Amino acid sequence: MKIGIGNDHAATEMKNQIVAYLQEKGYEVVNYGTDSLESFPYPVSAKKVADAIVNKEVDCGILICGTGVGISIAANKVKGIRACVCSEPVSARLSKEHNNSNIIAFGARIVGVEMAKAIVDSWLNAKYQGGRHQTRIDMISEIEEQ
Ligand code: RB5
């Protein structure tokens, strides 16, 4: 599985820790930055990762900013993206099982790195359940067309 990852300045350190963690587990990770601690606007990274998913350059994405909020809002403006900001593993798992999330987001100022790893593990190991949930996702896609 190929994972795209992006962040703003608030999350550079946590991004590096998560990249190392995922690579140790054998995942291929594409880093869309920023790698700087200088102020960097999260919509830039959000768009890069979202576009990479839509264009099938990566299979899914991880976005991290201070809270995970701004970067997920920005990613969700890209058609076909379902980015979910989660601060614990249960929501992360359910965001895949029920909402078929293709991006998980979290906040480097909200969760510690061990919780971030647990969120990522829970999300990557979850499977979309389809069935009744697809009807609702189809409704979300219809909203994108309006
Ligand atoms: C940057 O200071 C901060 O606003 C950003 O990382 C994020 O929390 C926005 O949602």
Side-chain angles (χ1 to χ4, degrees), residues 8-10 42 65-71 109:
D8 75 356
H9 55 281
Y42 55 79
C65 65
T67 58
V69 173
I71 207 160
R109 293 172 177 160

Side-chain angles (χ1 to χ4, degrees), residues 31 35 37 47 50 58 70 77 100 114 117-118:
N31 174 20
D35 292 323
L37 297 174
K47 175 110 175 34
V58 296
K77 298 298 179 189
N100 201 14
E114 294 307 318
K117 290 175 185 174

Side-chain angles (χ1 to χ4, degrees), residues 63-86:
L63 291 173
I64 323 171
C65 65
T67 58
V69 173
I71 207 160
S72 58
I73 290 173
N76 277 317
K77 298 298 179 189
V78 176
K79 188 173 163 181
I81 292 299
R82 291 175 300 281
C84 299
V85 56
C86 296

Side-chain angles (χ1 to χ4, degrees), residues 37-52:
L37 297 174
E38 297 298 316
S39 184
F40 186 88
Y42 55 79
V44 175
S45 310
K47 175 110 175 34
K48 284 183 184 173
V49 172
D51 284 346

